[in-house]
């Protein structure tokens, strides 16, 4: 009998402990914004609601029905939520005990428990709160403050502290050793400062910084190509290059110009519409091939440049959601002075005889080669042969010629002397 009584008590304890127990809820609150802690229960009367954080009461609500039908309410927030909590008493009768608090921060993270007691029974709900300040943007720039050139990657007001990685395009065989600092401010938000010494073993590198959130896994990427120096004469068109890295696809594009004092917009390209807009000041001076931008080529043609107006730093920025790529071009437009220009014009106006000299030298060279080839051929033709059959045949011809030579000489002498036979006597 005692064993049966023990089992009954155990089952009753389990039923009470699990009465109206709901699964844990996970909520992520954005820092400085309002945070909502949901809690729903079966409606009843004479509700008593308590919110706990780490088993410490931070909010309470109580409503009691009196005999005459009137009701009284008692609402209080305390502890960490004092002055920040909001509650909706008119929703309690519908089974809603949701609690909100504003201006959330890192100290608000933790486990909260909603405890509700009504005429219908007891309800408990547990809410696990995470607090996050997501990455809004990151920047990569060239810094020389340490006494040498280094790439600096920064982001501000992030929580929790993010992770950062570096890479280059194209990849290098050197081990990248960045110096990274994560510094919290008074509110507990972090500033990330990661620096990578510029590599001198390879030129024209793209430095890529990737920052990843510790909670959501959201990643931001920013990259920078080394500054390119370009020089061209005044009045001559030139191409200012700009190419996106491989990780970007169908980006938007923004071009700007700085002469050291003012920063002006040159043009923008929207990847959604495929249209580019040139600012009025630069209209007629720059040209963009919009069909090449989706493939990562944002180069522009600078037409009829002038020294005073177009010498400076040109910057192109490719943008995508959570990604940016920046390139700087240091363009110098050189101008020719009045004296130098007159000399150049005189040199251009005077006839040039250099082509005649070149032509004469070429003819002489061809003639010399021809003479050398002829002499070589003649020498080879006069050279005695070493073939035995030809030598034997030549010797026989010479002997036959020597045997026939006396008779032929006599006959030849008689003929030339016109010796006639004696005439017959009449």
């Amino acid at each position: 009998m005692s064993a049966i009584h023990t089992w009954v008590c155990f089952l009753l304890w389990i039923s009470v402990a699990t009465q109206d127990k709901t699964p844990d809820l996970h909520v992520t609150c954005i820092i400085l914004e309002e945070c909502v802690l949901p809690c729903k229960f079966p409606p009843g009367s004479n509700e008593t609601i308590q919110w706990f954080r780490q088993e410490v009461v931070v909010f309470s609500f109580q409503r009691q029905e009196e005999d005459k039908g009137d009701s009284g309410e008692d609402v209080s927030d305390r502890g960490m939520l004092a002055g920040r909590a909001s509650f909706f008493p008119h929703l309690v009768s519908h089974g809603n005990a949701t609690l909100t608090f504003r201006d959330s921060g890192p100290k608000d993270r933790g486990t909260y428990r909603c405890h509700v007691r009504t005429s219908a029974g007891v309800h408990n709900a547990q809410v696990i709160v995470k607090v996050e300040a997501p990455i809004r943007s990151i920047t990569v720039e060239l810094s020389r403050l340490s006494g040498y050139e280094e790439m600096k990657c920064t982001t501000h007001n992030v929580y929790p502290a993010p992770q950062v990685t570096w890479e280059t395009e194209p990849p290098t065989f050197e081990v990248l050793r960045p110096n990274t600092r994560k510094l919290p401010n008074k509110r507990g938000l972090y500033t990330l400062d990661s620096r990578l010494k510029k590599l001198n073993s390879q030129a024209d590198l793209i430095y890529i910084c990737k920052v990843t959130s510790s909670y959501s896994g959201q990643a931001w990427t920013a990259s920078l190509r080394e500054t390119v120096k370009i020089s061209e004469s005044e009045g001559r068109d030139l191409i200012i290059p700009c190419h996106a890295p491989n990780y970007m696809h169908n980006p938007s594009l923004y071009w700007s110009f700085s002469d050291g004092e003012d920063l002006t917009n040159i043009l923008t390209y929207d990847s959604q519409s495929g249209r580019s807009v040139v600012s009025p000041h630069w209209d007629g001076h720059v040209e963009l091939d919009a069909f090449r931008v989706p493939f990562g080529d944002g180069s522009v043609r600078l037409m009829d440049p002038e020294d005073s107006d177009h010498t400076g730093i040109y910057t192109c920025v490719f943008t995508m959601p959570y990604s940016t790529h920046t390139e700087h071009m240091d363009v110098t437009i050189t101008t020719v002075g009045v004296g130098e220009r007159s000399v150049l014009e005189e040199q251009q106006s005077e006839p040039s005889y250099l082509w005649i000299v070149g032509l004469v030298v070429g003819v002489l060279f061809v003639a010399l080669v021809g003479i050398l080839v002829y002499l070589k051929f003649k020498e080879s033709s006069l050279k005695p042969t070493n073939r035995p059959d030809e030598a034997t045949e030549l010797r026989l011809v010479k002997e036959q010629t020597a045997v026939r030579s006396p008779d032929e000489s006599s006959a030849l002498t008689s003929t030339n002397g016109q010796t006639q036979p004696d005439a017959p006597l009449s």
Side-chain angles (χ1 to χ4, degrees):
M1 186 67 180
S2 59
I4 296 176
H5 178 73
T6 302
W7 275 103
V8 170
C9 293
F10 179 72
L11 293 175
L12 288 174
W13 178 81
I14 293 177
S15 63
V16 171
T18 59
Q19 183 177 358
D20 204 12
K21 175 71 174 177
T22 58
D24 294 346
L25 297 177
H26 293 265
V27 174
T28 299
C29 300
I30 304 302
I31 288 181
L32 301 180
E33 297 183 6
E34 189 177 73
C35 187
V36 179
L37 308 182
C39 178
K40 292 187 178 182
F41 59 93
S45 59
N46 297 328
E47 300 95 341
T48 299
I49 301 172
Q50 289 181 311
W51 275 96
F52 297 83
R53 179 186 178 276
Q54 309 296 104
E55 298 305 322
V56 176
V57 178
V58 293
F59 180 86
S60 63
F61 169 86
Q62 186 174 6
R63 178 164 57 190
Q64 293 180 346
E65 298 288 344
E66 299 182 355
D67 295 339
K68 296 181 180 180
D70 297 332
S71 61
E73 296 178 354
D74 181 18
V75 179
S76 65
D77 54 1
R78 63 193 75 172
M80 295 184 60
L81 298 185
R84 295 191 295 144
S86 299
F87 193 72
F88 308 98
H90 64 282
L91 298 178
V92 173
S93 60
H94 300 284
N96 190 341
T98 298
L99 179 69
T100 65
F101 58 89
R102 62 183 180 275
D103 197 23
S104 60
K107 295 182 179 180
D108 294 322
R109 69 189 188 278
T111 302
Y112 292 75
R113 182 167 62 89
C114 173
H115 176 77
V116 181
R117 183 182 297 274
T118 67
S119 58
V122 177
H123 172 81
N124 286 282
Q126 191 163 272
V127 181
I128 299 174
V129 175
K130 289 183 178 181
V131 179
E132 180 180 17
I135 303 168
R136 302 294 184 182
S137 65
I138 64 175
T139 59
V140 176
E141 59 184 350
L142 180 64
S143 174
R144 298 181 176 88
L145 297 179
S146 300
Y148 50 85
E149 291 185 331
E150 59 184 359
M151 297 297 169
K152 177 182 176 182
C153 179
T154 56
T155 185
H156 303 279
N157 298 325
V158 179
Y159 184 86
Q163 306 299 319
V164 60
T165 57
W166 284 89
E167 59 184 277
T168 63
E169 186 178 304
T172 63
F173 294 102
E174 294 188 43
V175 178
L176 304 181
R177 295 185 175 89
N179 182 18
T180 302
R181 295 184 297 173
K182 304 174 185 179
L183 304 175
N185 59 16
K186 294 181 180 180
R187 296 186 59 89
L189 306 183
Y190 286 89
T191 292
L192 174 85
D193 186 318
S194 183
R195 305 189 182 206
L196 177 66
K197 189 175 181 180
K198 182 180 175 182
L199 305 178
N200 296 321
S201 60
Q202 187 172 349
D204 196 26
L205 283 176
I206 297 178
Y207 293 83
I208 304 172
C209 175
K210 185 175 182 180
V211 181
T212 306
S213 171
S214 299
Y215 275 174
S216 63
Q218 179 193 62
W220 282 72
T221 304
S223 55
L224 175 69
R225 189 190 297 271
E226 300 179 42
T227 302
V228 178
K229 293 184 179 293
I230 303 175
S231 180
E232 186 54 89
S233 300
E234 190 176 28
R236 298 186 61 179
D237 294 359
L238 74 153
I239 300 297
I240 305 179
C242 180
H243 297 90
N246 294 330
Y247 70 85
M248 304 192 80
H249 305 282
N250 193 26
S252 295
L253 178 64
Y254 171 81
W255 273 94
S256 62
F257 170 78
S258 174
D259 59 0
E261 298 180 356
D262 299 323
L263 181 66
T264 60
N265 175 39
I266 298 178
L267 64 84
T268 57
Y269 168 84
D270 180 42
S271 60
Q272 299 298 323
S273 63
R275 297 180 57 186
S276 61
V277 179
V278 181
S279 62
H281 179 72
W282 290 86
D283 192 17
H285 285 286
V286 293
E287 183 180 56
L288 173 72
D289 188 352
F291 293 101
R292 301 179 66 89
V293 179
F295 303 98
D297 187 355
S299 304
V300 296
R301 178 186 295 275
L302 183 61
M303 299 176 290
D304 193 22
E306 299 178 1
D307 173 34
S308 57
D309 294 336
H310 301 124
T311 293
I313 302 297
Y314 291 77
T315 301
C316 78
V317 180
F318 289 100
T319 61
M320 287 178 56
Y322 312 115
S323 300
T324 61
H325 173 69
T326 305
E327 296 189 5
H328 301 291
M329 276 64 62
D330 187 357
V331 177
T332 302
I333 305 300
T334 59
T335 182
V336 180
V338 177
E340 296 177 353
R341 184 175 300 173
S342 61
V343 172
L344 291 175
E345 291 176 353
E346 291 178 0
Q347 292 177 351
Q348 294 175 355
S349 61
E350 293 179 357
S352 177
Y353 299 99
L354 293 178
W355 68 273
I356 299 177
V357 175
L359 179 61
V360 171
V361 172
V363 171
L364 293 176
F365 177 76
V366 172
L368 180 60
V369 171
I371 293 173
L372 293 176
V373 171
Y374 172 75
L375 294 177
K376 186 71 174 178
F377 176 77
K378 184 176 181 181
E379 180 182 358
S380 61
S381 61
L382 295 177
K383 187 176 181 180
T385 180
N386 295 325
R387 294 179 57 182
D389 52 348
E390 291 183 359
T392 303
E393 183 177 356
L394 182 60
R395 182 173 54 81
L396 292 175
V397 171
K398 288 182 178 180
E399 292 176 354
Q400 293 177 3
T401 302
V403 172
R404 290 197 304 265
S405 57
D407 297 335
E408 292 178 357
S409 300
S410 301
L412 195 58
T413 303
S414 299
T415 304
N416 292 336
Q418 295 183 356
T419 303
Q420 300 291 337
D422 295 338
L425 296 174
S426 54

